[in-house]
C-alpha cells in the first residue's frame, strides 16, 4: 500500500470504525460529490490490490465462494459492494453485520428411537491422554442417539480426526464445570450453531455451577446456542430454601433406550462442613432440574451474605446410565399347555400383561410362558477428583442398591456392568477407593484418569504424522515432539490396580483406559471390552519409510535443507546442492549487508517463535487455532493469542514437564480480539499456572486484550480462580507512555480523548507490573495498534531492548509484529516498518479477494505486500482457511522473504536468514495433496463461525 500512504496519513483512522471524532471537515482532502469518503479511495486501492476476477495464480486453486459464505441477504450484499471499494467490510469492522445474517432458530434434534437397539456401547474418547492437559471424554452410543460426557479442549478436533460426526450428538454431560472438563464447549456450541441451513443446538447438562460458565460464554456466544442448557443439583446462589441433602439420583433422560441419572458429589471438609449450600428445588428427585432454558440475559449473581465455604466448580457428578432389560423369549409350548390359543393373548403376554386361559380356569402370567428377562446393562461414570469428594462418595446411601453386598429387597438390587473412573490415578489407587470399587462385585472397571503409559501414543495421528515428516525434512524448524520415552515413564496404574488389600485386584476387573477403547452393551452376546479400534503406537521410522516410498526425492531435499544451515553458519557463500548427480549452483543465500543490525552476533537463546496453531475458525485435523509462543528462554515467554487447545500444543512441542515449565515462565498473554478461535484456551492455561505456582510467591499473570474479553474472564473467575490481572487496551492507553502504545501515536492519541475514564487506583499498579514484566523479559515495549477486522481488533509489536556486543557496540533490539486478524491497513503497515519478523494472517488464497473483503481477512499476496511495503526482514504467514488442509495455495514469485507457517514450527531468531529457502522443500513434501474439504460439515460450519 505504499502509494496510499501520502494521502492516507490523515485518513487512515477512518478505515477503523471506532473513530467517530474524525470528520471530513478536519481533513485536508475535500469530499468528492456525490461519492462517499470510502469510495473516494476506491479506484486507486482497487487498481493496485484487486486481481482480475476469477483468475488465480494457481490453476488448481479454488475460486468459488461456498454457499454459506455467499449467504447474508440483500442488505449485506449492498454493504459489501460499497465497502469493497475501500478494501474492507465496514459493517463487519464496526460490528454492525449481525443483522445481515439470516436469523436462526437453533432447534434440538428430535430422533425416532428404536427401543430394540442393534448396537450400543460406551467408548473412551482419549482427549488429553497423550498430553494430560484435559479430561478424557466418554461417548455413549446408540443407533439413534449419541451422548458425550465431558467436553474438554480438543474434543472437536478429536471428533474430526476420528470421524465422529458432531451433528449426531444429542446431549453433552459435564462431570464438573471447569476448564479441564468444559474447555471445548464454547467452540463446539459455535460449530453446531453454524451447521446446516438453520444451525443446530445440543442439550448441555451439568451441576448448578454450570450457570457461571453460561454467563461467561454469553460474552461471545449467541444466546440461541445456549438455550438448551440445563443445570441441576445444589444451589450456587447460597439461598437456603431447604436443608434437604442432594443424595438421591436426579433423572435427566428417561426414554425407550436409556435412563440417565445424576448423583451430585460435594466435597467435605475434615470438620464435616459441606463446601456448598444445599437447595432442594423440589422434593421429587426426578424433577430436580432447572428450567429448560437457562436465563443468560442477566449475569448470575451469587448472594454474598450466604456465600459457601467452598467455591463453584468444586461439585462433581456421578452419572448412572441404565439400559432397559431384555425381555425373555416367549415359549408357545408353555402357553399351549396352559390352555391358550395362538392370537392376541400371546402378544399381551409378551407386552407384560396377564391374561385368562382359554381352556382352563386360571390366569396366565408373563412369567409362566416367558424365559427370565436379562437385566439391562448399567454403566457408572465416576468423577472423584479429590480426597474430600471421596469422603462423601463412601457415605452415599443412594448407591447401596448398586452394590453386590446389597441387603435390601432382592427386587431392588441392581447389577452394575461397567464403571468408568475419571478421577486421578493417585486417588483411585488409594485403599479407601479400592475398597469402594470392590463393592461393585464383578463389574468391569475402566480407569480413564491420566496415565503416563499413553503419553507416546498421539490421539491426533494425522497431525503427528505430518509432524514426523516435517521433522525428517527440516529438524531445525520442526523439532521432534517433546514426549517422554516410555522407558522413562513411571506408570501410575498398571493393568490391575495395586492395593493394600491383596484381594481387591483379584475381585475388581480393572484396566487402564486407552484411546477409543469400547465396552459393548448391545447386542448382549458381545457384552464386554472391545479393543478392535484402539490405535497402535506407530514409530516415526515407519512414517518416514512410508514417506520415502511415496516421495523418494525427500532424501535429497533433507540433505539440501541441512546444507542451508551449513552454508549460513560457516561459508556464507554460494550453496552447492547435489541433485540427480548434478551440481546446482544457486545465488548467494544472503549478503552480510542485508542482515538487520539486530541479528549481529545474535544468540540462539535470545528468541524462538513457536507457532502452536496456524488455522482459522476452529480446530481442524491438521491445524489448531491461533496461538504463538514467544519463547525468551531464561527470561520466560509470552503467548500471542490463546485459542482452544493451546496447552495441548505446548505439551506436544515441549513435553509434559517442558510445557509446565513454559506455563510457569509466562510473563504475559496478549489477545488480539474477542473471536473464540483466539482466546478460548485461556482458562486452561491460567488455571494450570495457578496450580503449578500454588505455594510459590508469584504475581498474577498479565492478560492484555479487548474489553469484552475482560467481561468473559471476570464472569469465569466466579467459577475458577484464574490468578491473573487484566489490561484493557482502552483502559491503559491513557496512562502508558511507550509500553502498550507507541508514544505519540495516533492510537495513543485516540484513546486519550475524553470519555474513556480510567480507574487510577486499578490501572497504575497493573502498569507497574507490566513495566516490571517487560524489563524482566528483556523487552523495551509491547505496543498494540488497531486493525480492521471487528470491533476492538488489534495487532501487536514486541520490541527487544538494546544490547551490547563483545566490544561494547550497541546492537538494536529485534522487533516482532503480529497482525492478528485483519485486512491490509495503514496502521499495520506503519507498525511493521523495519520489523525483524512480521507474522501476518493469510486466511485466503489470492483468487479469493471477495471473501477476504467480506470477512475482513487477508489473502496471501496482500499479507506479503504489507511486509514488503514496510520493509520487514522476514514474513511468516498463518491463520489459514480450512480449505487448505495441509498447505495453502501461494504464488512462488512472491515468497523471497516469506515462509508458510505450520503447527509446531519453531523458528529461532538465529535461523531467520534461512527461513524462506526452506519453503520449496516444504512444498515438495505436500506435492501430492489436493485442496479438498476434509469434512463438509466442518467447513460449512466454519464459514458461519466468527473468525
Amino acid at each position: 500500500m505504499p502509494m496510499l500512504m501520502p494521502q492516507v496519513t490523515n485518513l487512515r483512522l477512518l478505515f477503523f470504525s471506532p473513530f467517530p471524532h474524525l470528520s471530513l471537515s478536519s481533513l485536508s482532502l475535500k469530499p468528492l460529490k456525490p461519492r462517499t469518503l470510502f469510495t473516494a479511495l476506491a479506484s486507486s486501492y482497487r487498481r493496485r490490490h484487486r486481481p482480475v476476477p476469477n483468475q488465480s495464480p494457481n490453476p488448481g486453486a479454488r475460486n468459488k465462494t461456498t454457499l454459506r459464505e455467499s449467504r447474508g441477504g440483500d442488505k449485506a450484499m449492498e454493504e459489501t459492494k460499497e465497502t469493497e471499494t475501500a478494501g474492507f467490510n465496514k459493517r463487519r469492522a464496526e460490528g454492525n453485520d449481525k443483522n445481515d445474517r439470516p436469523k436462526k432458530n437453533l432447534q434440538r434434534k428430535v430422533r425416532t428411537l428404536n427401543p430394540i437397539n442393534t448396537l450400543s456401547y460406551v467408548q473412551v474418547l482419549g482427549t488429553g491422554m497423550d498430553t494430560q492437559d484435559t479430561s478424557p471424554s466418554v461417548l455413549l452410543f446408540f443407533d439413534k442417539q449419541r451422548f458425550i460426557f465431558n467436553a474438554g479442549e480438543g474434543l472437536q478436533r478429536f471428533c474430526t480426526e476420528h470421524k465422529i460426526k458432531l451433528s449426531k450428538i444429542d446431549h453433552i454431560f459435564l462431570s464438573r464445570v471447569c476448564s479441564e472438563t468444559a474447555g471445548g464447549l464454547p467452540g463446539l456450541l459455535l460449530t453446531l450453531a453454524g451447521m446446516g441451513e438453520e444451525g443446530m443446538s445440543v442439550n448441555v447438562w451439568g451441576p448448578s455451577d454450570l450457570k457461571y460458565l453460561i454467563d461467561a460464554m454469553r460474552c461471545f456466544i449467541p444466546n440461541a446456542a445456549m438455550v438448551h442448557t440445563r443445570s441441576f443439583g445444589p444451589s450456587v446462589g447460597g439461598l437456603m430454601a431447604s436443608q434437604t441433602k442432594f443424595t438421591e439420583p436426579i433423572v435427566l433422560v428417561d426414554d425407550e433406550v436409556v435412563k440417565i441419572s445424576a448423583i451430585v458429589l460435594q466435597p467435605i471438609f475434615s470438620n464435616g462442613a459441606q463446601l456448598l449450600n444445599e437447595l432442594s428445588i423440589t422434593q421429587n428427585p426426578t424433577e430436580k432440574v432447572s428450567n429448560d432454558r437457562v436465563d443468560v440475559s442477566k449475569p448470575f449473581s451469587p448472594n454474598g451474605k450466604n456465600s459457601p465455604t467452598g467455591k463453584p466448580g468444586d461439585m462433581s457428578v456421578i452419572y448412572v446410565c441404565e439400559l432397559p432389560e431384555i425381555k425373555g423369549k416367549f415359549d408357545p409350548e408353555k402357553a399351549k399347555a396352559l390352555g391358550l390359543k395362538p392370537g392376541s393373548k400371546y402378544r399381551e403376554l409378551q407386552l407384560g400383561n396377564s391374561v385368562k386361559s382359554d381352556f382352563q380356569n386360571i390366569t396366565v402370567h408373563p412369567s409362566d410362558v416367558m424365559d427370565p428377562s436379562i437385566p439391562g446393562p448399567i454403566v457408572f461414570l465416576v468423577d472423584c477428583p479429590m480426597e474430600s469428594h471421596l469422603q462423601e462418595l463412601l457415605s452415599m446411601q443412594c448407591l447401596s442398591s448398586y452394590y453386590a453386598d446389597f441387603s435390601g429387597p432382592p427386587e431392588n438390587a441392581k447389577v452394575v456392568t461397567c464403571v468408568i473412573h475419571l478421577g486421578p490415578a493417585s486417588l483411585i489407587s488409594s485403599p479407601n477407593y479400592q475398597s469402594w470399587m470392590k463393592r461393585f462385585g464383578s463389574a468391569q472397571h475402566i480407569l480413564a484418569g491420566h496415565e503416563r503409559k499413553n503419553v507416546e501414543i498421539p490421539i491426533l495421528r494425522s497431525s503427528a504424522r505430518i509432524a514426523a515428516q516435517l521433522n525428517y525434512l527440516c529438524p531445525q524448524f520442526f523439532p521432534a515432539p517433546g514426549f517422554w520415552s516410555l522407558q522413562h515413564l513411571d506408570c501410575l496404574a498398571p493393568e490391575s490396580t495395586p492395593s493394600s488389600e491383596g484381594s481387591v485386584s483379584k475381585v475388581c476387573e480393572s484396566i487402564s483406559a486407552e484411546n477409543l477403547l469400547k465396552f459393548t452393551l448391545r447386542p448382549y452376546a458381545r457384552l464386554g471390552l472391545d479393543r478392535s479400534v484402539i490405535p497402535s503406537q506407530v514409530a516415526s521410522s515407519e512414517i518416514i519409510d512410508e514417506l520415502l516410498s511415496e516421495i523418494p526425492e525427500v532424501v535429497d531435499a533433507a540433505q539440501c535443507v541441512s546444507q542451508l544451515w551449513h552454508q549460513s553458519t560457516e561459508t556464507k557463500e554460494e550453496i552447492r546442492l547435489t541433485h540427480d548427480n548434478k551440481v546446482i549452483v544457486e545465488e548467494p543465500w544472503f549478503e552480510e549487508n542485508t542482515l538487520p543490525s539486530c541479528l549481529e552476533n545474535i544468540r540462539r537463546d535470545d528468541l524462538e517463535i513457536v507457532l502452536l496453531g496456524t488455522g482459522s475458525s476452529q480446530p481442524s485435523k491438521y491445524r489448531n487455532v491461533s496461538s504463538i509462543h514467544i519463547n525468551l528462554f531464561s527470561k520466560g515467554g509470552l503467548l500471542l493469542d490463546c485459542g482452544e487447545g493451546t496447552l495441548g500444543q505446548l505439551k506436544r512441542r515441549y513435553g509434559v514437564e517442558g510445557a509446565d515449565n513454559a506455563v510457569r515462565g509466562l510473563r504475559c498473554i496478549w489477545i488480539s480480539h474477542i473471536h473464540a478461535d483466539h482466546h478460548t484456551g485461556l482458562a486452561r492455561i491460567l488455571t494450570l499456572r495457578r496450580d503449578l505456582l500454588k505455594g510459590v510467591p508469584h504475581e498474577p499473570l498479565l492478560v492484555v486484550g479487548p474489553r469484552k474479553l475482560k467481561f468473559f474472564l471476570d464472569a469465569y473467575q466466579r467459577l475458577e480462580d484464574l490468578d491473573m490481572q487484566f489490561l484493557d487496551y482502552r483502559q491503559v492507553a491513557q496512562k502508558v507512555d511507550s509500553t502498550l502504545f507507541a508514544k505519540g501515536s495516533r492510537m495513543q492519541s485516540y484513546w486519550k480523548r475524553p470519555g474513556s475514564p480510567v480507574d487510577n487506583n486499578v490501572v497504575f499498579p497493573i502498569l507497574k507490573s507490566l513495566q516490571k514484566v517487560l524489563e524482566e523479559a528483556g523487552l523495551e515495549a509491547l505496543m498494540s495498534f488497531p486493525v480492521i477486522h471487528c470491533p476492538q481488533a488489534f495487532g501487536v509489536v514486541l520490541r527487544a531492548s538494546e544490547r551490547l556486543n563483545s566490544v561494547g557496540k550497541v546492537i538494536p533490539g529485534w522487533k516482532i509484529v503480529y497482525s492478528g486478524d485483519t485486512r491490509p491497513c495503514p496502521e499495520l503497515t506503519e507498525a511493521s516498518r523495519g520489523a525483524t519478523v512480521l507474522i501476518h494472517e493469510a486466511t485466503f488464497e489470492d483468487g479469493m479477494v471477495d471473501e477476504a473483503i467480506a470477512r475482513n481477512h487477508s489473502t496471501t499476496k496482500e499479507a506479503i505486500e504489507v511486509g514488503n511495503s514496510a520493509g520487514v526482514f522476514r514474513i511468516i504467514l498463518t491463520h489459514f482457511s480450512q480449505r487448505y488442509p495441509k498447505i495453502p495455495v501461494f504464488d512462488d514469485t512472491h515468497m523471497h522473504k516469506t515462509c508458510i507457517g505450520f503447527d509446531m514450527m519453531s523458528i529461532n531468531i538465529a535461523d531467520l536468514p534461512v527461513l524462506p529457502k526452506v519453503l520449496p522443500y516444504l512444498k515438495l513434501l505436500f506435492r501430492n495433496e489436493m485442496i479438498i474439504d476434509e469434512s463438509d460439515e466442518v467447513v460449512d460450519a466454519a464459514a458461519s463461525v466468527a473468525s
Side-chain angles (χ1 to χ4, degrees):
M1 303 173 71
M3 60 86 181
L4 275 179
M5 293 309 296
Q7 301 102 305
V8 175
T9 300
N10 295 322
L11 289 176
R12 59 198 179 107
L13 294 184
L14 289 177
F15 277 90
F16 183 64
S17 61
F19 297 93
H21 63 296
L22 292 182
S23 63
L24 284 174
S25 61
S26 65
L27 304 173
S28 57
L29 286 179
K30 296 181 180 180
L32 301 177
K33 297 181 180 180
R35 304 161 73 192
T36 66
L37 176 62
F38 292 102
T39 56
L41 295 172
S43 58
S44 61
Y45 189 97
R46 183 163 46 186
R47 282 195 299 269
R48 289 291 301 271
H49 292 76
R50 293 291 302 278
V52 177
N54 299 323
Q55 181 175 335
S56 171
N58 187 328
R62 290 186 181 187
N63 294 311
K64 65 178 182 179
T65 302
T66 65
L67 177 62
R68 177 161 299 284
E69 288 171 330
S70 65
R71 267 188 222 112
D74 295 337
K75 186 175 182 181
M77 291 299 294
E78 293 173 3
E79 187 62 39
T80 300
K81 291 177 181 178
E82 175 184 348
T83 58
E84 276 180 3
T85 59
F88 72 99
N89 186 333
K90 177 172 175 284
R91 291 181 61 81
R92 184 173 175 85
E94 293 173 339
N96 295 327
D97 62 334
K98 294 180 180 179
N99 294 331
D100 299 342
R101 306 167 190 169
K103 295 293 183 181
K104 292 183 177 182
N105 181 17
L106 304 180
Q107 297 294 326
R108 285 175 293 181
K109 296 172 286 296
V110 178
R111 307 188 193 279
T112 302
L113 302 180
N114 177 12
I116 306 176
N117 284 277
T118 57
L119 182 63
S120 176
Y121 56 81
V122 286
Q123 184 174 32
V124 177
L125 307 183
T127 52
M129 278 192 166
D130 56 346
T131 52
Q132 302 185 9
D133 64 304
T134 190
S135 174
S137 297
V138 176
L139 170 67
L140 175 58
F141 178 97
F142 294 94
D143 285 346
K144 300 293 183 179
Q145 282 187 307
R146 312 283 192 276
F147 305 88
I148 282 185
F149 298 84
N150 288 341
E153 289 188 20
L155 175 61
Q156 190 175 168
R157 194 176 185 195
F158 180 94
C159 290
T160 301
E161 170 84 10
H162 296 285
K163 295 181 172 56
I164 299 172
K165 287 184 176 291
L166 297 174
S167 59
K168 299 293 185 181
I169 299 171
D170 300 276
H171 300 263
I172 296 175
F173 299 89
L174 301 180
S175 64
R176 282 176 289 137
V177 185
C178 59
S179 61
E180 185 181 1
T181 59
L185 187 60
L188 187 60
L189 291 177
L190 284 171
T191 297
L192 290 170
M195 285 183 176
E197 291 289 336
E198 292 298 327
M200 299 179 184
S201 183
V202 66
N203 299 277
V204 181
W205 303 84
S208 51
D209 44 17
L210 176 62
K211 295 178 182 179
Y212 285 113
L213 179 61
I214 297 303
D215 184 45
M217 291 193 304
R218 70 186 182 89
C219 299
F220 59 93
I221 294 180
N223 285 354
M226 299 186 290
V227 296
H228 303 307
T229 304
R230 300 187 182 189
S231 59
F232 53 83
S235 167
V236 293
L239 301 175
M240 300 295 291
S242 171
Q243 293 295 329
T244 302
K245 289 191 67 175
F246 258 76
T247 57
E248 295 299 320
I250 305 166
V251 178
L252 308 179
V253 175
D254 192 0
D255 56 34
E256 299 96 318
V257 298
V258 69
K259 174 183 175 182
I260 299 179
S261 305
I263 302 172
V264 178
L265 191 61
Q266 300 181 70
I268 300 179
F269 287 134
S270 57
N271 61 7
Q274 290 286 345
L275 277 175
L276 292 174
N277 295 323
E278 295 163 343
L279 170 63
S280 178
I281 300 173
T282 172
Q283 295 301 314
N284 184 351
T286 65
E287 297 178 359
K288 294 179 182 177
V289 181
S290 67
N291 291 337
D292 185 12
R293 297 173 65 94
V294 171
D295 182 7
V296 294
S297 62
K298 303 176 183 178
F300 188 84
S301 178
N303 186 333
K305 295 182 180 180
N306 293 319
S307 59
T309 311
K311 63 182 185 301
D314 283 337
M315 275 188 290
S316 184
V317 180
I318 299 171
Y319 287 105
V320 183
C321 308
E322 303 178 68
L323 276 64
E325 67 178 11
I326 301 174
K327 299 290 185 181
K329 186 177 180 181
F330 178 77
D331 190 338
E333 293 300 322
K334 289 183 179 180
K336 184 178 180 181
L338 293 173
L340 287 174
K341 294 187 299 185
S344 61
K345 291 185 178 181
Y346 279 22
R347 176 173 175 77
E348 288 296 318
L349 286 166
Q350 293 180 61
L351 292 175
N353 302 319
S354 300
V355 297
K356 288 286 288 184
S357 171
D358 294 314
F359 300 109
Q360 301 178 29
N361 188 25
I362 60 172
T363 299
V364 181
H365 303 285
S367 58
D368 298 329
V369 296
M370 297 186 69
D371 293 337
S373 297
I374 301 175
I378 298 177
V379 177
F380 268 52
L381 289 100
V382 182
D383 189 351
C384 183
M386 296 184 293
E387 184 70 29
S388 55
H389 292 84
L390 178 58
Q391 297 178 42
E392 174 74 358
L393 178 64
L394 297 176
S395 64
M396 281 189 162
Q397 295 301 313
C398 65
L399 296 177
S400 60
S401 62
Y402 296 97
Y403 295 147
D405 56 4
F406 177 61
S407 59
E411 62 271 16
N412 294 338
K414 300 179 180 179
V415 178
V416 176
T417 312
C418 178
V419 183
I420 300 176
H421 302 269
L422 302 175
S426 56
L427 186 142
I428 292 174
S429 61
S430 68
N432 285 339
Y433 197 95
Q434 286 282 297
S435 296
W436 179 75
M437 291 171 60
K438 181 181 177 181
R439 301 193 70 180
F440 289 100
S442 60
Q444 175 67 63
H445 294 270
I446 300 175
L447 313 182
H450 291 151
E451 304 290 342
R452 300 213 175 146
K453 62 174 288 185
N454 292 313
V455 163
E456 282 202 342
I457 305 177
I459 63 166
L460 303 175
R461 295 171 67 88
S462 297
S463 61
R465 179 176 295 273
I466 285 185
Q469 295 172 347
L470 289 168
N471 171 253
Y472 174 83
L473 179 63
C474 182
Q476 297 85 353
F477 285 145
F478 300 95
F483 297 134
W484 300 338
S485 171
L486 284 176
Q487 62 185 1
H488 299 301
L489 298 182
D490 180 18
C491 296
L492 299 181
E495 288 298 296
S496 291
T497 306
S499 170
S500 59
E501 300 182 30
S503 62
V504 172
S505 61
K506 297 178 182 178
V507 175
C508 295
E509 293 292 334
S510 303
I511 65 165
S512 295
E514 297 177 77
N515 186 26
L516 300 181
L517 174 69
K518 289 182 181 180
F519 188 93
T520 302
L521 304 174
R522 295 273 201 263
Y524 181 77
R526 290 166 47 193
L527 184 73
L529 293 170
D530 179 0
R531 298 173 175 270
S532 61
V533 294
I534 294 177
S536 59
Q537 183 178 0
V538 179
S540 60
S541 58
E542 297 178 44
I543 297 174
I544 300 309
D545 290 343
E546 180 181 323
L547 171 65
L548 299 184
S549 66
E550 294 177 358
I551 310 176
E553 299 90 334
V554 169
V555 175
D556 292 337
Q559 294 175 355
C560 292
V561 170
S562 178
Q563 289 186 39
L564 294 176
W565 267 266
H566 179 77
Q567 179 273 337
S568 66
T569 55
E570 296 183 8
T571 65
K572 294 186 179 179
E573 295 174 355
E574 296 179 350
I575 303 177
R576 304 181 65 84
L577 303 176
T578 302
H579 182 65
D580 293 337
N581 298 321
K582 296 181 181 179
V583 176
I584 301 175
V585 181
E586 296 192 351
E587 296 179 1
W589 174 217
F590 62 86
E591 299 293 339
E592 191 67 31
N593 59 12
T594 64
L595 282 176
S597 55
C598 65
L599 296 184
E600 181 180 332
N601 297 324
I602 195 73
R603 294 168 54 95
R604 296 194 68 83
D605 61 355
D606 193 273
L607 166 70
E608 184 180 56
I609 301 170
V610 180
L611 305 179
L612 299 174
T614 56
S616 67
S617 291
Q618 63 191 61
S620 62
K621 193 172 181 178
Y622 300 102
R623 294 181 184 270
N624 204 52
V625 287
S626 297
S627 185
I628 302 168
H629 183 226
I630 303 298
N631 184 9
L632 301 174
F633 296 93
S634 62
K635 297 177 182 178
L638 297 86
L639 283 175
L640 307 182
D641 279 334
C642 188
E644 177 189 338
T646 292
L647 178 57
Q649 293 292 86
L650 280 171
K651 299 215 172 191
R652 292 182 180 95
R653 169 59 182 86
Y654 296 112
V656 175
E657 283 188 334
D660 287 350
N661 292 332
V663 172
R664 284 190 191 96
L666 284 175
R667 303 291 187 182
C668 174
I669 300 179
W670 183 92
I671 304 297
S672 61
H673 60 291
I674 193 60
H675 286 164
D677 57 327
H678 291 259
H679 72 80
T680 49
L682 256 177
R684 193 74 197 97
I685 291 284
L686 293 172
T687 53
L688 174 62
R689 180 181 180 272
R690 174 204 65 198
D691 294 341
L692 292 173
L693 296 177
K694 188 173 294 183
V696 179
H698 67 280
E699 296 293 328
L701 185 62
L702 288 169
V703 177
V704 181
R707 181 178 50 193
K708 279 190 174 182
L709 180 62
K710 184 178 189 301
F711 296 158
F712 167 68
L713 294 175
D714 286 348
Y716 190 91
Q717 284 206 107
R718 292 179 291 175
L719 182 63
E720 288 187 281
D721 175 25
L722 298 179
D723 191 22
M724 63 94 190
Q725 298 181 73
F726 187 82
L727 286 172
D728 181 356
Y729 302 128
R730 298 170 181 261
Q731 189 181 45
V732 300
Q734 297 180 344
K735 302 297 180 183
V736 78
D737 45 18
S738 61
T739 305
L740 199 71
F741 287 84
K743 188 182 230 178
S745 71
R746 287 179 175 82
M747 291 88 77
Q748 188 187 44
S749 301
Y750 166 68
W751 301 120
K752 282 186 177 180
R753 80 181 194 276
S756 298
V758 174
D759 186 343
N760 294 339
N761 295 328
V762 174
V763 172
F764 281 141
I766 300 179
L767 289 180
K768 289 183 180 179
S769 298
L770 175 60
Q771 292 172 350
K772 179 182 177 182
V773 162
L774 294 180
E775 290 173 3
E776 292 175 346
L779 297 177
E780 176 184 291
L782 184 158
M783 299 180 291
S784 302
F785 56 91
V787 295
I788 298 175
H789 181 58
C790 67
Q792 299 182 51
F794 282 77
V796 67
V797 177
L798 297 177
R799 191 193 305 276
S801 302
E802 296 177 342
R803 56 189 171 87
L804 297 176
N805 66 8
S806 57
V807 295
K809 178 183 176 182
V810 176
I811 306 297
W814 45 259
K815 176 181 177 182
I816 295 177
V817 178
Y818 171 49
S819 70
D821 287 7
T822 184
R823 289 290 297 147
C825 60
E827 292 287 359
L828 175 56
T829 302
E830 181 177 306
S832 303
R833 293 203 181 282
T836 315
V837 178
L838 168 63
I839 307 172
H840 200 300
E841 73 117 293
T843 309
F844 296 102
E845 62 187 271
D846 296 345
M848 301 186 72
V849 179
D850 290 341
E851 286 80 356
I853 291 173
R855 299 190 172 277
N856 282 343
H857 285 297
S858 299
T859 66
T860 299
K861 184 177 181 181
E862 288 173 331
I864 295 171
E865 286 180 346
V866 170
N868 289 338
S869 300
V872 305
F873 179 60
R874 291 292 177 256
I875 304 168
I876 302 172
L877 302 181
T878 186
H879 197 268
F880 302 111
S881 167
Q882 293 187 51
R883 290 170 182 78
Y884 322 112
K886 296 181 181 178
I887 191 168
V889 176
F890 58 90
D891 187 346
D892 290 329
T893 60
H894 303 300
M895 309 297 285
H896 63 281
K897 61 169 65 173
T898 305
C899 193
I900 299 295
F902 293 85
D903 282 18
M904 302 299 152
M905 191 174 190
S906 303
I907 304 160
N908 193 285
I909 190 170
D911 297 330
L912 285 177
V914 187
L915 184 61
K917 274 291 184 180
V918 174
L919 183 58
Y921 302 104
L922 298 180
K923 191 175 181 181
L924 169 68
L925 196 64
F926 302 105
R927 72 179 187 185
N928 297 328
E929 300 299 329
M930 298 294 291
I931 307 167
I932 59 173
D933 296 340
E934 61 185 40
S935 167
D936 291 340
E937 70 173 37
V938 169
V939 172
D940 287 346
S944 66
V945 175
S947 57

